[in-house]
Amino acid sequence: MRFKTKLTWADVTPEAAYLNRRQIMTGAAGLALGSIAGPAFAAPELGEPNSFEDITSYNNYYEFGTGKEDPARYAGKLTTDPWAVQIDGLVERPGNYDLADVLKGMDIEERIYRLRCVEAWSMVIPWNGFELRALLEKVGVQPSAKYVAFETVARREEMPGLYSPVLDWPYVEGLRLDEAMHPLTLIATGLYGRELPNQNGAPLRLVVPWKYGFKSIKSIVRITLTDKEPPTSWNKANAREYGFYSNVNPEVDHPRWSQATERVIGGGLFSAKQPTEMFNGYGDEVAALYAGMDLKKNY
Amino acid sequence: MTAAQTINGALRKLPIWPIYLIGALPPVWYFYLGLTGGLGVEPIKEFEHRLGILGLQMLIAVLAVTPLRNLTKVSLIRFRRAMGLLTFYYIAAHLAVWLFLDVQIAAQIWADIVKRPYITIGMVGFVLMIPLAITSNNLSVRKLGARWRKLHKLVYPIALLGAVHFVMLRKGWQIEPLLYLAGIALLLALRLPILRRVGWPMRPARQG
């Protein structure tokens, strides 16, 4: 199955308006839209994408600090070139893959997804990236593999938040293999046709649009195929509040706040909340993955 | 004349109304910033959090008045009522932002107060502040007499509730709210009668 529509962010927002709205857009933009293969997929009614400024100035990336503005302030120090990804575990061709080798032969598409944070806010983001499935097929998944584990880079000299023990570093996340192989599951390499900013998880970050944002692990340095459910950072920190699945679900509240509604970032001081959709609106595509599962227990 | 006496003499000459005037400004300033993009791309939470932190900071200042006087003899007690009322003003504004800009939905407000422990705790703290704010006038002090002093000891649990509310609302154990909690716990500990026995400077216990 293949999700394609003719819609791109440029259709939703005229380029002039988008440039105009963001004074921070500087010269080296290189809006290489021509080089981006294929139009995008957009499942739910998403509305207008958030501005480049929204997406790059309001981030949760605790390795750079717990404030929303900390990643934009400190992530510039992160070295993303050279970059390598260790791919190991139950794969046919394990190894330490250079970024160029990871990207080789990958079809970089544009995907407009809504990102729903577990903190009850959301943004609409025009990602560029490739399907994780393509990378997993490239390295060859052994038949015994059932899960995929991911790990974020952890360099104290470049990431000041690592001195604070909010989480057990490095940040780790995981997916069931069928979730990882789902065509919606993306490895993002850019947004708005530009290189992925460091605060958004450069150079490679996972995007799983039907799960809360913290599942979409940033700045990936390791991918491991396993036969056991891998540990995940927020689940280790507080299992009662953050489950392994963490599918967006308006009926299962976070113990400390409701998940029934969300605030769309960018609406200003008087912005209204909107109802949160099951699976963040991607239920038609992904509900079958969880057929027969009690999602109140497997939150 | 000691330095403390000189400072106290100078402080006595200061009027109190400028504290109310200057203290009233930050929420108005934040509101203006929120309208004009100065609070970032999610101004509602930012506005709400700044007001809450401002309230906690003013509460810490209120709690510091007595230990400061015991330690240095410098007395800010003339300004404490203004500081207390400003605390109430900041926390009332914090609550108003939560009600009208953040949650918005009436049914969800009540559900949150009942179901979410950190909101319950914050709400209890606010409710306890109301009688203190109402009795912050000379008439009440006269009429209530010794009971006024007893009533206003409520500020101690209020401060703890406020700090615990802050610690609980963050994801994970974060340093900043824990520092506020530690600061408030320290200021309360400095009032424990046991300290007098180890020679900590403290006024004699009052009658009644």
Side-chain angles (χ1 to χ4, degrees):
Chain A
M1 112 179 112
R2 191 98 182 125
F3 295 98
K4 293 277 175 179
T5 78
K6 291 202 172 68
L7 188 69
T8 78
W9 67 267
D11 295 317
V12 188
T13 313
E15 184 176 332
Y18 134 71
L19 287 169
N20 196 22
R21 227 173 36 228
R22 288 162 214 93
Q23 294 92 341
I24 59 154
M25 292 283 284
T26 45
L31 288 165
L33 290 178
S35 69
I36 291 164
F41 161 72
E45 287 293 319
L46 292 178
E48 198 183 330
N50 279 88
S51 70
F52 187 78
E53 189 196 347
D54 289 350
I55 298 166
T56 58
S57 68
Y58 192 79
N59 306 97
N60 278 326
Y61 195 162
Y62 281 15
E63 284 86 337
F64 295 106
T66 53
K68 294 284 185 290
E69 69 288 354
D70 287 338
R73 197 177 295 155
Y74 302 117
K77 279 207 317 198
L78 181 68
T79 311
T80 57
D81 182 18
W83 193 270
V85 183
Q86 176 79 28
I87 304 180
D88 55 14
L90 303 170
V91 292
E92 306 293 349
R93 288 169 289 282
N96 197 36
Y97 288 81
D98 194 69
L99 181 60
D101 297 331
V102 171
L103 297 177
K104 199 184 293 167
M106 291 296 145
D107 178 20
I108 303 292
E109 309 174 39
E110 194 169 73
R111 296 274 180 102
I112 303 174
Y113 285 158
R114 174 166 52 213
L115 180 121
R116 169 60 158 81
C117 180
V118 74
E119 296 164 358
W121 54 264
S122 67
M123 289 193 199
V124 178
I125 303 177
W127 300 106
N128 311 108
F130 56 87
E131 291 179 8
L132 173 60
R133 177 172 65 169
L135 177 61
L136 294 179
E137 279 165 1
K138 182 152 97 175
V139 297
V141 177
Q142 292 182 12
S144 53
K146 293 191 176 69
Y147 294 90
V148 188
F150 304 87
E151 186 180 311
T152 295
V153 69
R155 295 185 198 133
R156 281 197 156 197
E157 61 283 9
E158 297 183 353
M159 306 171 103
L162 293 176
Y163 287 96
S164 170
V166 185
L167 291 170
D168 182 15
W169 311 115
Y171 194 87
V172 290
E173 258 305 338
L175 295 173
R176 230 168 48 189
L177 186 61
D178 56 345
E179 297 172 330
M181 298 295 278
H182 194 281
L184 281 177
T185 304
L186 199 72
I187 295 286
T189 57
L191 58 86
Y192 267 121
R194 305 171 66 175
E195 228 172 68
L196 196 62
N198 285 1
Q199 60 266 41
N200 296 90
L204 295 173
R205 97 169 266 163
L206 185 67
V207 182
V208 195
W210 70 93
K211 292 176 180 286
Y212 293 119
F214 67 87
K215 293 293 290 183
S216 293
I217 187 170
K218 301 185 177 84
S219 306
I220 298 166
V221 290
R222 188 169 182 188
I223 299 175
T224 309
L225 278 289
T226 76
D227 55 0
K228 287 187 193 65
E229 187 181 289
T232 60
S233 284
W234 278 106
N235 180 252
K236 283 195 287 178
N238 193 336
R240 197 174 70 93
E241 297 189 349
Y242 310 101
F244 174 78
Y245 286 95
S246 289
N247 293 318
V248 175
N249 188 342
E251 283 149 36
V252 177
D253 282 350
H254 186 281
R256 286 181 289 146
W257 54 82
S258 164
Q259 296 290 26
T261 59
E262 67 202 45
R263 171 160 296 118
V264 182
I265 299 295
L269 206 48
F270 301 106
S271 85
K273 288 191 162 181
Q274 71 177 31
T276 289
E277 294 181 66
M278 188 66 203
F279 297 115
N280 198 22
Y282 300 92
D284 288 350
E285 289 79 30
V286 302
L289 295 174
Y290 310 101
M293 272 176 75
D294 182 350
L295 295 177
K296 285 199 163 68
K297 277 192 191 126
N298 298 285
Y299 54 90
Chain B
M1 216 159 69
T2 66
Q5 282 169 327
T6 315
I7 293 170
N8 285 338
L11 287 173
R12 249 190 301 277
K13 292 195 192 90
L14 288 180
I16 291 169
W17 62 264
I19 297 197
Y20 287 106
L21 191 71
I22 294 164
L25 294 179
V28 182
W29 173 239
Y30 294 157
F31 185 65
Y32 168 78
L33 286 180
L35 289 176
T36 54
L39 294 184
V41 300
E42 213 294 46
I44 299 173
K45 285 280 180 202
E46 184 67 19
F47 191 19
E48 182 181 302
H49 293 165
R50 284 197 189 194
L51 289 169
I53 286 179
L54 196 60
L56 270 179
Q57 288 168 344
M58 194 52 95
L59 196 50
I60 286 171
V62 167
L63 291 177
V65 169
T66 296
L68 179 76
R69 187 192 55 193
N70 290 342
L71 268 179
T72 67
K73 303 278 191 294
V74 172
S75 177
L76 297 173
I77 205 123
R78 281 182 69 230
F79 307 101
R80 194 164 64 177
R81 176 188 294 171
M83 290 154 73
L85 284 169
L86 284 173
T87 303
F88 181 74
Y89 162 57
Y90 297 150
I91 297 305
H94 169 72
L95 176 63
V97 171
W98 180 73
L99 289 175
F100 301 115
L101 298 182
D102 187 353
V103 187
Q104 299 171 353
I105 304 153
Q108 203 173 311
I109 288 169
W110 184 245
D112 273 358
I113 291 172
V114 183
K115 269 167 67 181
R116 322 278 170 206
Y118 85 93
I119 292 175
T120 315
I121 285 172
M123 231 20 234
V124 170
F126 175 76
V127 169
L128 291 180
M129 287 178 88
I130 295 172
L132 305 199
I134 291 174
T135 56
S136 285
N137 54 75
N138 292 338
L139 184 69
S140 297
V141 177
R142 270 201 306 277
K143 287 230 153 149
L144 292 171
R147 281 177 303 161
W148 190 92
R149 295 185 54 79
K150 226 177 225 169
L151 176 66
H152 279 250
K153 290 218 189 310
L154 272 179
V155 71
Y156 306 149
I158 288 167
L160 282 175
L161 289 168
V164 170
H165 166 76
F166 188 20
V167 170
M168 286 177 74
L169 68 89
R170 291 285 181 93
K171 283 196 319 198
W173 296 101
Q174 294 190 18
I175 303 283
E176 191 194 8
L178 288 173
L179 288 176
Y180 277 82
L181 180 60
I184 285 173
L186 176 73
L187 288 169
L188 296 187
L190 290 177
R191 292 166 156 82
L192 293 175
I194 195 166
L195 287 178
R196 189 177 290 116
R197 270 190 259 158
V198 298
W200 182 258
M202 221 186 267
R203 290 207 164 173
R206 275 167 210 266
Q207 302 301 310

